[in-house]
Amino acid sequence: IGATRYEFRVQLPDGTITNVSVSRSSGDVPFDNSAVAAVKNIGRLTEMQGLSPQEFQPYRSFKMTFTPEDLAL
């Protein structure tokens, strides 16, 4: 897999993941598509329900970055 860091932009305006996009590709389109599908499959983050609107604000849209080492089992 090409890049040493992969980045995804995640949007969850109300605690439900509504959009995931690749902002830095791995260079392997099937891998990128699989990663996007895995994040979308999470659906709703119930842990966010207990946050006040002010606490939740930074999570409405965020960048998720990981490296190949993060994926090691």
Side-chain angles (χ1 to χ4, degrees):
I1 298 176
T4 57
R5 241 179 47 225
Y6 317 112
E7 295 176 357
F8 298 89
R9 171 67 53 193
V10 180
Q11 295 177 328
L12 56 156
D14 64 354
T16 300
I17 295 173
T18 60
N19 188 37
V20 180
S21 59
V22 177
S23 53
R24 182 176 181 154
S25 175
S26 68
D28 180 338
V29 174
F31 176 84
D32 291 347
N33 291 342
S34 179
V36 167
V39 174
K40 284 182 176 179
N41 194 43
I42 294 168
R44 184 163 183 79
L45 297 172
T46 56
E47 297 83 0
M48 299 294 189
Q49 291 176 338
L51 298 178
S52 72
Q54 195 171 34
E55 292 171 318
F56 182 69
Q57 183 60 37
Y59 303 104
R60 290 185 187 281
S61 179
F62 63 92
K63 180 174 62 174
M64 181 171 63
T65 304
F66 62 95
T67 66
E69 293 79 25
D70 294 332
L71 302 176
L73 297 176

Short mmCIF file of all heavy atoms in Angstrom, two decimals:
data_model
loop_
_atom_site.label_atom_id
_atom_site.label_comp_id
_atom_site.label_asym_id
_atom_site.label_seq_id
_atom_site.Cartn_x
_atom_site.Cartn_y
_atom_site.Cartn_z
N ILE A 1 0.87 -1.17 0.00
CA ILE A 1 0.00 0.00 0.00
C ILE A 1 0.91 1.22 0.00
O ILE A 1 1.84 1.29 0.78
CB ILE A 1 -0.96 -0.04 1.20
CG1 ILE A 1 -1.83 -1.29 1.05
CG2 ILE A 1 -1.78 1.20 1.30
CD1 ILE A 1 -2.77 -1.54 2.17
N GLY A 2 0.62 2.18 -0.87
CA GLY A 2 1.53 3.25 -1.21
C GLY A 2 1.92 4.25 -0.15
O GLY A 2 3.05 4.32 0.26
N ALA A 3 1.01 5.09 0.28
CA ALA A 3 1.35 6.20 1.17
C ALA A 3 1.69 5.69 2.57
O ALA A 3 1.30 4.59 2.94
CB ALA A 3 0.19 7.18 1.24
N THR A 4 2.41 6.50 3.33
CA THR A 4 2.73 6.10 4.69
C THR A 4 1.69 6.58 5.68
O THR A 4 1.68 6.16 6.82
CB THR A 4 4.11 6.65 5.10
OG1 THR A 4 4.11 8.05 4.95
CG2 THR A 4 5.19 6.02 4.26
N ARG A 5 0.82 7.49 5.23
CA ARG A 5 -0.27 8.00 6.05
C ARG A 5 -1.52 8.07 5.20
O ARG A 5 -1.47 8.50 4.06
CB ARG A 5 0.07 9.41 6.53
CG ARG A 5 0.16 9.54 7.99
CD ARG A 5 0.51 10.93 8.48
NE ARG A 5 -0.24 12.00 7.86
CZ ARG A 5 0.32 13.11 7.42
NH1 ARG A 5 1.61 13.30 7.51
NH2 ARG A 5 -0.42 14.05 6.87
N TYR A 6 -2.64 7.67 5.77
CA TYR A 6 -3.91 7.73 5.07
C TYR A 6 -4.81 8.69 5.84
O TYR A 6 -4.82 8.67 7.06
CB TYR A 6 -4.56 6.35 5.00
CG TYR A 6 -3.58 5.27 4.67
CD1 TYR A 6 -3.24 4.32 5.61
CD2 TYR A 6 -2.95 5.23 3.42
CE1 TYR A 6 -2.31 3.34 5.31
CE2 TYR A 6 -2.02 4.25 3.13
CZ TYR A 6 -1.71 3.31 4.08
OH TYR A 6 -0.78 2.35 3.80
N GLU A 7 -5.56 9.50 5.13
CA GLU A 7 -6.42 10.47 5.79
C GLU A 7 -7.83 10.40 5.22
O GLU A 7 -8.01 10.30 4.00
CB GLU A 7 -5.88 11.89 5.63
CG GLU A 7 -4.55 12.10 6.31
CD GLU A 7 -3.98 13.49 6.07
OE1 GLU A 7 -4.57 14.29 5.32
OE2 GLU A 7 -2.92 13.75 6.65
N PHE A 8 -8.79 10.46 6.11
CA PHE A 8 -10.20 10.47 5.74
C PHE A 8 -10.86 11.64 6.44
O PHE A 8 -10.54 11.96 7.58
CB PHE A 8 -10.88 9.17 6.17
CG PHE A 8 -10.31 7.96 5.51
CD1 PHE A 8 -9.24 7.28 6.07
CD2 PHE A 8 -10.82 7.52 4.30
CE1 PHE A 8 -8.70 6.18 5.44
CE2 PHE A 8 -10.28 6.42 3.67
CZ PHE A 8 -9.22 5.75 4.24
N ARG A 9 -11.78 12.29 5.76
CA ARG A 9 -12.59 13.35 6.34
C ARG A 9 -13.93 12.70 6.71
O ARG A 9 -14.57 12.06 5.89
CB ARG A 9 -12.79 14.48 5.34
CG ARG A 9 -13.75 15.54 5.71
CD ARG A 9 -13.41 16.43 6.86
NE ARG A 9 -12.10 17.07 6.76
CZ ARG A 9 -11.53 17.67 7.80
NH1 ARG A 9 -12.13 17.72 8.96
NH2 ARG A 9 -10.35 18.22 7.68
N VAL A 10 -14.31 12.84 7.98
CA VAL A 10 -15.54 12.22 8.48
C VAL A 10 -16.48 13.34 8.92
O VAL A 10 -16.07 14.27 9.61
CB VAL A 10 -15.23 11.29 9.68
CG1 VAL A 10 -16.50 10.65 10.21
CG2 VAL A 10 -14.21 10.22 9.28
N GLN A 11 -17.74 13.23 8.51
CA GLN A 11 -18.75 14.19 8.92
C GLN A 11 -19.86 13.47 9.68
O GLN A 11 -20.39 12.47 9.19
CB GLN A 11 -19.32 14.92 7.71
CG GLN A 11 -18.28 15.78 7.03
CD GLN A 11 -18.81 16.45 5.78
OE1 GLN A 11 -19.66 15.93 5.09
NE2 GLN A 11 -18.29 17.63 5.50
N LEU A 12 -20.16 13.96 10.85
CA LEU A 12 -21.25 13.42 11.65
C LEU A 12 -21.96 14.56 12.36
O LEU A 12 -21.75 14.81 13.53
CB LEU A 12 -20.77 12.34 12.61
CG LEU A 12 -19.66 12.64 13.61
CD1 LEU A 12 -19.80 11.66 14.78
CD2 LEU A 12 -18.32 12.49 13.00
N PRO A 13 -22.80 15.27 11.64
CA PRO A 13 -23.43 16.48 12.18
C PRO A 13 -24.30 16.25 13.41
O PRO A 13 -24.45 17.15 14.23
CB PRO A 13 -24.25 17.01 11.02
CG PRO A 13 -24.42 15.87 10.09
CD PRO A 13 -23.23 14.98 10.29
N ASP A 14 -24.83 15.06 13.58
CA ASP A 14 -25.69 14.81 14.74
C ASP A 14 -25.30 13.52 15.46
O ASP A 14 -26.08 12.97 16.21
CB ASP A 14 -27.16 14.73 14.31
CG ASP A 14 -27.42 13.55 13.37
OD1 ASP A 14 -26.46 12.86 12.98
OD2 ASP A 14 -28.59 13.33 13.04
N GLY A 15 -24.08 13.05 15.23
CA GLY A 15 -23.63 11.79 15.83
C GLY A 15 -23.75 10.62 14.89
O GLY A 15 -23.29 9.53 15.17
N THR A 16 -24.38 10.85 13.74
CA THR A 16 -24.49 9.81 12.70
C THR A 16 -23.51 10.15 11.59
O THR A 16 -23.48 11.29 11.12
CB THR A 16 -25.92 9.78 12.12
OG1 THR A 16 -26.84 9.50 13.18
CG2 THR A 16 -26.05 8.70 11.06
N ILE A 17 -22.71 9.18 11.20
CA ILE A 17 -21.74 9.41 10.13
C ILE A 17 -22.51 9.59 8.83
O ILE A 17 -23.20 8.68 8.38
CB ILE A 17 -20.73 8.26 10.04
CG1 ILE A 17 -19.90 8.21 11.32
CG2 ILE A 17 -19.84 8.41 8.81
CD1 ILE A 17 -18.98 7.03 11.44
N THR A 18 -22.42 10.77 8.26
CA THR A 18 -23.17 11.08 7.03
C THR A 18 -22.28 11.09 5.81
O THR A 18 -22.77 10.94 4.69
CB THR A 18 -23.88 12.44 7.14
OG1 THR A 18 -22.90 13.46 7.36
CG2 THR A 18 -24.90 12.44 8.25
N ASN A 19 -20.98 11.30 5.99
CA ASN A 19 -20.09 11.35 4.85
C ASN A 19 -18.68 10.97 5.27
O ASN A 19 -18.23 11.39 6.34
CB ASN A 19 -20.09 12.75 4.23
CG ASN A 19 -19.34 12.80 2.91
OD1 ASN A 19 -19.39 11.86 2.13
ND2 ASN A 19 -18.63 13.87 2.68
N VAL A 20 -18.02 10.19 4.44
CA VAL A 20 -16.61 9.84 4.64
C VAL A 20 -15.95 10.00 3.29
O VAL A 20 -16.45 9.48 2.29
CB VAL A 20 -16.44 8.39 5.13
CG1 VAL A 20 -14.98 8.05 5.32
CG2 VAL A 20 -17.23 8.14 6.41
N SER A 21 -14.85 10.73 3.23
CA SER A 21 -14.14 10.89 1.97
C SER A 21 -12.64 10.74 2.21
O SER A 21 -12.14 11.02 3.29
CB SER A 21 -14.45 12.25 1.35
OG SER A 21 -14.07 13.29 2.23
N VAL A 22 -11.95 10.27 1.18
CA VAL A 22 -10.51 10.09 1.24
C VAL A 22 -9.86 11.44 0.97
O VAL A 22 -10.10 12.06 -0.05
CB VAL A 22 -10.04 9.06 0.19
CG1 VAL A 22 -8.53 8.93 0.20
CG2 VAL A 22 -10.70 7.72 0.43
N SER A 23 -9.03 11.91 1.89
CA SER A 23 -8.30 13.15 1.66
C SER A 23 -6.83 12.89 1.36
O SER A 23 -6.15 13.75 0.83
CB SER A 23 -8.46 14.12 2.84
OG SER A 23 -8.11 13.53 4.05
N ARG A 24 -6.34 11.70 1.70
CA ARG A 24 -5.00 11.26 1.31
C ARG A 24 -5.08 9.77 1.06
O ARG A 24 -5.24 8.98 1.98
CB ARG A 24 -3.99 11.56 2.40
CG ARG A 24 -2.58 11.17 2.00
CD ARG A 24 -1.56 11.57 3.05
NE ARG A 24 -0.24 11.19 2.60
CZ ARG A 24 0.85 11.79 2.97
NH1 ARG A 24 0.79 12.82 3.80
NH2 ARG A 24 2.01 11.38 2.54
N SER A 25 -4.97 9.39 -0.19
CA SER A 25 -5.17 8.01 -0.61
C SER A 25 -3.99 7.12 -0.25
O SER A 25 -2.85 7.56 -0.16
CB SER A 25 -5.37 7.98 -2.13
OG SER A 25 -5.46 6.64 -2.58
N SER A 26 -4.30 5.85 -0.09
CA SER A 26 -3.26 4.84 0.12
C SER A 26 -2.58 4.49 -1.20
O SER A 26 -1.54 3.86 -1.21
CB SER A 26 -3.88 3.57 0.71
OG SER A 26 -4.71 2.94 -0.26
N GLY A 27 -3.21 4.87 -2.31
CA GLY A 27 -2.72 4.47 -3.62
C GLY A 27 -3.36 3.18 -4.10
O GLY A 27 -3.13 2.74 -5.21
N ASP A 28 -4.17 2.58 -3.26
CA ASP A 28 -4.85 1.32 -3.56
C ASP A 28 -6.35 1.59 -3.45
O ASP A 28 -6.90 1.63 -2.35
CB ASP A 28 -4.39 0.27 -2.56
CG ASP A 28 -5.02 -1.09 -2.76
OD1 ASP A 28 -6.09 -1.20 -3.38
OD2 ASP A 28 -4.45 -2.08 -2.27
N VAL A 29 -7.00 1.80 -4.60
CA VAL A 29 -8.41 2.20 -4.60
C VAL A 29 -9.31 1.20 -3.87
O VAL A 29 -10.15 1.60 -3.06
CB VAL A 29 -8.90 2.48 -6.04
CG1 VAL A 29 -10.40 2.74 -6.08
CG2 VAL A 29 -8.14 3.66 -6.63
N PRO A 30 -9.16 -0.12 -4.09
CA PRO A 30 -10.01 -1.05 -3.33
C PRO A 30 -9.82 -0.93 -1.81
O PRO A 30 -10.78 -1.02 -1.05
CB PRO A 30 -9.59 -2.43 -3.84
CG PRO A 30 -9.07 -2.17 -5.22
CD PRO A 30 -8.38 -0.83 -5.12
N PHE A 31 -8.57 -0.73 -1.38
CA PHE A 31 -8.31 -0.54 0.05
C PHE A 31 -9.00 0.73 0.56
O PHE A 31 -9.66 0.70 1.59
CB PHE A 31 -6.81 -0.46 0.31
CG PHE A 31 -6.48 -0.17 1.75
CD1 PHE A 31 -6.43 -1.19 2.68
CD2 PHE A 31 -6.25 1.13 2.18
CE1 PHE A 31 -6.14 -0.93 4.01
CE2 PHE A 31 -5.97 1.41 3.51
CZ PHE A 31 -5.91 0.38 4.42
N ASP A 32 -8.84 1.83 -0.17
CA ASP A 32 -9.48 3.08 0.23
C ASP A 32 -11.00 2.91 0.32
O ASP A 32 -11.62 3.34 1.29
CB ASP A 32 -9.17 4.20 -0.77
CG ASP A 32 -7.71 4.65 -0.73
OD1 ASP A 32 -6.98 4.28 0.21
OD2 ASP A 32 -7.31 5.37 -1.66
N ASN A 33 -11.58 2.27 -0.69
CA ASN A 33 -13.03 2.06 -0.69
C ASN A 33 -13.46 1.19 0.48
O ASN A 33 -14.51 1.44 1.10
CB ASN A 33 -13.48 1.43 -2.01
CG ASN A 33 -13.36 2.39 -3.17
OD1 ASN A 33 -13.27 3.60 -3.00
ND2 ASN A 33 -13.34 1.84 -4.39
N SER A 34 -12.66 0.19 0.81
CA SER A 34 -12.97 -0.68 1.93
C SER A 34 -12.90 0.09 3.25
O SER A 34 -13.75 -0.08 4.14
CB SER A 34 -11.99 -1.86 1.95
OG SER A 34 -12.24 -2.69 3.04
N ALA A 35 -11.90 0.95 3.39
CA ALA A 35 -11.77 1.75 4.61
C ALA A 35 -12.94 2.71 4.75
O ALA A 35 -13.49 2.87 5.85
CB ALA A 35 -10.44 2.50 4.60
N VAL A 36 -13.33 3.35 3.67
CA VAL A 36 -14.48 4.27 3.70
C VAL A 36 -15.75 3.51 4.10
O VAL A 36 -16.51 3.95 4.95
CB VAL A 36 -14.66 4.99 2.34
CG1 VAL A 36 -16.01 5.69 2.26
CG2 VAL A 36 -13.53 5.99 2.12
N ALA A 37 -15.95 2.34 3.50
CA ALA A 37 -17.13 1.53 3.82
C ALA A 37 -17.13 1.11 5.29
O ALA A 37 -18.18 1.12 5.94
CB ALA A 37 -17.19 0.31 2.91
N ALA A 38 -15.96 0.77 5.82
CA ALA A 38 -15.86 0.36 7.23
C ALA A 38 -16.25 1.51 8.16
O ALA A 38 -16.98 1.30 9.14
CB ALA A 38 -14.46 -0.13 7.54
N VAL A 39 -15.78 2.71 7.87
CA VAL A 39 -16.13 3.86 8.71
C VAL A 39 -17.62 4.17 8.58
O VAL A 39 -18.31 4.40 9.58
CB VAL A 39 -15.27 5.10 8.35
CG1 VAL A 39 -15.74 6.32 9.12
CG2 VAL A 39 -13.80 4.82 8.64
N LYS A 40 -18.15 4.15 7.37
CA LYS A 40 -19.59 4.40 7.18
C LYS A 40 -20.43 3.37 7.90
O LYS A 40 -21.52 3.67 8.40
CB LYS A 40 -19.94 4.40 5.69
CG LYS A 40 -19.51 5.65 4.97
CD LYS A 40 -19.94 5.58 3.51
CE LYS A 40 -19.62 6.85 2.76
NZ LYS A 40 -20.01 6.78 1.36
N ASN A 41 -19.94 2.13 7.95
CA ASN A 41 -20.67 1.03 8.59
C ASN A 41 -20.85 1.25 10.09
O ASN A 41 -21.74 0.67 10.70
CB ASN A 41 -19.96 -0.29 8.32
CG ASN A 41 -20.82 -1.47 8.64
OD1 ASN A 41 -22.00 -1.51 8.32
ND2 ASN A 41 -20.22 -2.46 9.28
N ILE A 42 -20.04 2.12 10.67
CA ILE A 42 -20.19 2.41 12.10
C ILE A 42 -21.57 3.01 12.37
O ILE A 42 -22.19 2.72 13.38
CB ILE A 42 -19.07 3.35 12.59
CG1 ILE A 42 -17.72 2.65 12.49
CG2 ILE A 42 -19.34 3.85 14.01
CD1 ILE A 42 -16.53 3.56 12.67
N GLY A 43 -22.02 3.83 11.44
CA GLY A 43 -23.36 4.42 11.57
C GLY A 43 -23.43 5.53 12.59
O GLY A 43 -22.84 6.58 12.40
N ARG A 44 -24.11 5.29 13.68
CA ARG A 44 -24.31 6.32 14.71
C ARG A 44 -23.37 6.07 15.88
O ARG A 44 -23.25 4.95 16.36
CB ARG A 44 -25.76 6.28 15.20
CG ARG A 44 -26.08 7.36 16.19
CD ARG A 44 -27.60 7.55 16.31
NE ARG A 44 -27.93 8.62 17.20
CZ ARG A 44 -27.89 9.91 16.87
NH1 ARG A 44 -27.50 10.27 15.68
NH2 ARG A 44 -28.21 10.84 17.74
N LEU A 45 -22.73 7.12 16.33
CA LEU A 45 -21.85 7.05 17.50
C LEU A 45 -22.66 7.45 18.72
O LEU A 45 -22.81 8.63 19.04
CB LEU A 45 -20.64 7.96 17.32
CG LEU A 45 -19.73 7.60 16.16
CD1 LEU A 45 -18.68 8.68 15.93
CD2 LEU A 45 -19.07 6.27 16.39
N THR A 46 -23.20 6.47 19.41
CA THR A 46 -24.09 6.75 20.54
C THR A 46 -23.35 7.46 21.68
O THR A 46 -23.98 8.16 22.47
CB THR A 46 -24.75 5.46 21.06
OG1 THR A 46 -23.72 4.52 21.39
CG2 THR A 46 -25.66 4.86 20.00
N GLU A 47 -22.03 7.31 21.73
CA GLU A 47 -21.26 7.97 22.77
C GLU A 47 -21.36 9.49 22.67
O GLU A 47 -21.16 10.20 23.65
CB GLU A 47 -19.77 7.57 22.68
CG GLU A 47 -19.51 6.10 22.91
CD GLU A 47 -19.72 5.23 21.68
OE1 GLU A 47 -20.08 5.76 20.61
OE2 GLU A 47 -19.53 4.01 21.78
N MET A 48 -21.68 9.99 21.50
CA MET A 48 -21.78 11.43 21.28
C MET A 48 -23.06 12.03 21.87
O MET A 48 -23.15 13.23 22.06
CB MET A 48 -21.73 11.76 19.79
CG MET A 48 -20.46 11.33 19.12
SD MET A 48 -19.08 12.27 19.76
CE MET A 48 -17.79 11.79 18.66
N GLN A 49 -24.04 11.20 22.16
CA GLN A 49 -25.34 11.70 22.63
C GLN A 49 -25.24 12.43 23.95
O GLN A 49 -26.03 13.33 24.22
CB GLN A 49 -26.35 10.56 22.74
CG GLN A 49 -26.75 10.02 21.39
CD GLN A 49 -27.68 8.83 21.50
OE1 GLN A 49 -27.73 8.16 22.51
NE2 GLN A 49 -28.42 8.58 20.43
N GLY A 50 -24.28 12.07 24.79
CA GLY A 50 -24.15 12.69 26.10
C GLY A 50 -23.41 14.02 26.10
O GLY A 50 -23.32 14.67 27.13
N LEU A 51 -22.88 14.42 24.95
CA LEU A 51 -22.12 15.66 24.88
C LEU A 51 -23.03 16.87 24.68
O LEU A 51 -24.04 16.78 23.99
CB LEU A 51 -21.13 15.61 23.71
CG LEU A 51 -20.06 14.53 23.74
CD1 LEU A 51 -19.20 14.61 22.48
CD2 LEU A 51 -19.19 14.65 24.98
N SER A 52 -22.64 17.96 25.28
CA SER A 52 -23.37 19.21 25.03
C SER A 52 -23.04 19.67 23.62
O SER A 52 -22.04 19.24 23.04
CB SER A 52 -22.93 20.28 26.04
OG SER A 52 -21.61 20.72 25.72
N PRO A 53 -23.86 20.55 23.04
CA PRO A 53 -23.55 21.05 21.69
C PRO A 53 -22.15 21.66 21.60
O PRO A 53 -21.45 21.50 20.61
CB PRO A 53 -24.63 22.11 21.44
CG PRO A 53 -25.78 21.63 22.27
CD PRO A 53 -25.15 21.04 23.51
N GLN A 54 -21.73 22.34 22.64
CA GLN A 54 -20.40 22.96 22.65
C GLN A 54 -19.30 21.88 22.66
O GLN A 54 -18.30 22.01 21.96
CB GLN A 54 -20.27 23.86 23.87
CG GLN A 54 -19.13 24.82 23.82
CD GLN A 54 -19.20 25.82 24.96
OE1 GLN A 54 -19.66 25.48 26.06
NE2 GLN A 54 -18.77 27.04 24.72
N GLU A 55 -19.48 20.82 23.44
CA GLU A 55 -18.50 19.74 23.49
C GLU A 55 -18.46 18.96 22.17
O GLU A 55 -17.42 18.49 21.74
CB GLU A 55 -18.83 18.76 24.62
CG GLU A 55 -18.66 19.34 26.00
CD GLU A 55 -19.21 18.41 27.06
OE1 GLU A 55 -20.30 17.81 26.87
OE2 GLU A 55 -18.55 18.29 28.11
N PHE A 56 -19.62 18.83 21.54
CA PHE A 56 -19.73 18.05 20.32
C PHE A 56 -19.18 18.78 19.09
O PHE A 56 -18.75 18.14 18.12
CB PHE A 56 -21.20 17.66 20.08
CG PHE A 56 -21.40 16.82 18.86
CD1 PHE A 56 -20.94 15.53 18.81
CD2 PHE A 56 -22.05 17.33 17.74
CE1 PHE A 56 -21.11 14.75 17.67
CE2 PHE A 56 -22.23 16.57 16.61
CZ PHE A 56 -21.76 15.27 16.58
N GLN A 57 -19.15 20.09 19.10
CA GLN A 57 -18.78 20.90 17.93
C GLN A 57 -17.51 20.43 17.21
O GLN A 57 -17.51 20.31 15.99
CB GLN A 57 -18.66 22.37 18.34
CG GLN A 57 -18.36 23.31 17.19
CD GLN A 57 -19.42 23.30 16.11
OE1 GLN A 57 -20.61 23.18 16.39
NE2 GLN A 57 -19.01 23.39 14.87
N PRO A 58 -16.41 20.12 17.91
CA PRO A 58 -15.18 19.71 17.20
C PRO A 58 -15.33 18.39 16.43
O PRO A 58 -14.51 18.08 15.57
CB PRO A 58 -14.15 19.56 18.30
CG PRO A 58 -14.70 20.25 19.49
CD PRO A 58 -16.18 20.24 19.34
N TYR A 59 -16.35 17.60 16.75
CA TYR A 59 -16.53 16.29 16.13
C TYR A 59 -17.49 16.29 14.95
O TYR A 59 -17.69 15.26 14.31
CB TYR A 59 -17.00 15.27 17.17
CG TYR A 59 -16.04 15.18 18.33
CD1 TYR A 59 -16.34 15.77 19.55
CD2 TYR A 59 -14.82 14.54 18.19
CE1 TYR A 59 -15.47 15.71 20.61
CE2 TYR A 59 -13.93 14.47 19.25
CZ TYR A 59 -14.26 15.05 20.45
OH TYR A 59 -13.38 14.99 21.49
N ARG A 60 -18.11 17.40 14.65
CA ARG A 60 -19.08 17.46 13.53
C ARG A 60 -18.41 17.11 12.21
O ARG A 60 -19.01 16.50 11.34
CB ARG A 60 -19.73 18.82 13.44
CG ARG A 60 -20.67 19.08 14.58
CD ARG A 60 -21.41 20.40 14.40
NE ARG A 60 -22.17 20.71 15.58
CZ ARG A 60 -23.35 20.16 15.89
NH1 ARG A 60 -23.89 19.29 15.08
NH2 ARG A 60 -23.98 20.49 16.98
N SER A 61 -17.16 17.51 12.06
CA SER A 61 -16.38 17.19 10.88
C SER A 61 -14.93 17.13 11.32
O SER A 61 -14.44 18.08 11.93
CB SER A 61 -16.57 18.27 9.81
OG SER A 61 -15.79 17.96 8.67
N PHE A 62 -14.27 16.02 11.07
CA PHE A 62 -12.89 15.89 11.51
C PHE A 62 -12.10 15.01 10.55
O PHE A 62 -12.65 14.29 9.74
CB PHE A 62 -12.82 15.32 12.93
CG PHE A 62 -13.37 13.93 13.08
CD1 PHE A 62 -12.55 12.82 12.95
CD2 PHE A 62 -14.71 13.74 13.35
CE1 PHE A 62 -13.07 11.54 13.09
CE2 PHE A 62 -15.24 12.47 13.50
CZ PHE A 62 -14.41 11.36 13.36
N LYS A 63 -10.79 15.12 10.65
CA LYS A 63 -9.88 14.34 9.84
C LYS A 63 -9.40 13.15 10.67
O LYS A 63 -9.01 13.32 11.82
CB LYS A 63 -8.69 15.19 9.40
CG LYS A 63 -7.70 14.47 8.55
CD LYS A 63 -6.63 15.39 8.02
CE LYS A 63 -5.83 16.02 9.12
NZ LYS A 63 -4.69 16.82 8.66
N MET A 64 -9.48 11.97 10.10
CA MET A 64 -8.99 10.76 10.75
C MET A 64 -7.73 10.33 9.99
O MET A 64 -7.78 10.14 8.77
CB MET A 64 -10.05 9.67 10.69
CG MET A 64 -9.65 8.39 11.35
SD MET A 64 -11.00 7.21 11.49
CE MET A 64 -11.37 6.89 9.78
N THR A 65 -6.62 10.23 10.67
CA THR A 65 -5.35 9.87 10.06
C THR A 65 -4.85 8.59 10.69
O THR A 65 -4.92 8.42 11.91
CB THR A 65 -4.31 10.99 10.29
OG1 THR A 65 -4.83 12.21 9.78
CG2 THR A 65 -3.00 10.67 9.61
N PHE A 66 -4.34 7.67 9.86
CA PHE A 66 -3.72 6.47 10.41
C PHE A 66 -2.59 6.03 9.51
O PHE A 66 -2.46 6.46 8.38
CB PHE A 66 -4.74 5.36 10.64
CG PHE A 66 -5.45 4.87 9.41
CD1 PHE A 66 -4.99 3.76 8.72
CD2 PHE A 66 -6.59 5.51 8.95
CE1 PHE A 66 -5.65 3.31 7.59
CE2 PHE A 66 -7.26 5.07 7.82
CZ PHE A 66 -6.78 3.96 7.13
N THR A 67 -1.74 5.17 10.07
CA THR A 67 -0.58 4.64 9.36
C THR A 67 -0.73 3.13 9.24
O THR A 67 -1.56 2.53 9.92
CB THR A 67 0.71 4.94 10.14
OG1 THR A 67 0.68 4.21 11.36
CG2 THR A 67 0.88 6.43 10.41
N PRO A 68 0.08 2.48 8.39
CA PRO A 68 0.00 1.02 8.28
C PRO A 68 0.19 0.31 9.62
O PRO A 68 -0.44 -0.70 9.90
CB PRO A 68 1.13 0.67 7.30
CG PRO A 68 1.30 1.89 6.49
CD PRO A 68 1.03 3.04 7.43
N GLU A 69 1.01 0.89 10.48
CA GLU A 69 1.23 0.29 11.81
C GLU A 69 -0.04 0.28 12.64
O GLU A 69 -0.25 -0.60 13.46
CB GLU A 69 2.34 1.05 12.55
CG GLU A 69 3.71 0.92 11.93
CD GLU A 69 3.93 1.83 10.72
OE1 GLU A 69 3.26 2.88 10.59
OE2 GLU A 69 4.75 1.45 9.87
N ASP A 70 -0.91 1.26 12.42
CA ASP A 70 -2.17 1.33 13.16
C ASP A 70 -3.08 0.15 12.79
O ASP A 70 -3.97 -0.20 13.55
CB ASP A 70 -2.92 2.64 12.85
CG ASP A 70 -2.18 3.86 13.35
OD1 ASP A 70 -1.42 3.76 14.34
OD2 ASP A 70 -2.36 4.92 12.72
N LEU A 71 -2.85 -0.42 11.62
CA LEU A 71 -3.70 -1.50 11.13
C LEU A 71 -3.17 -2.88 11.51
O LEU A 71 -3.84 -3.88 11.25
CB LEU A 71 -3.84 -1.42 9.61
CG LEU A 71 -4.42 -0.12 9.08
CD1 LEU A 71 -4.40 -0.13 7.56
CD2 LEU A 71 -5.82 0.11 9.61
N ALA A 72 -1.99 -2.95 12.07
CA ALA A 72 -1.38 -4.23 12.41
C ALA A 72 -2.22 -4.94 13.48
O ALA A 72 -2.67 -4.33 14.43
CB ALA A 72 0.05 -4.03 12.91
N LEU A 73 -2.40 -6.23 13.26
CA LEU A 73 -3.18 -7.02 14.23
C LEU A 73 -2.28 -7.69 15.22
O LEU A 73 -1.21 -8.07 14.98
CB LEU A 73 -4.01 -8.08 13.49
CG LEU A 73 -5.05 -7.50 12.54
CD1 LEU A 73 -5.74 -8.62 11.78
CD2 LEU A 73 -6.07 -6.68 13.30
#
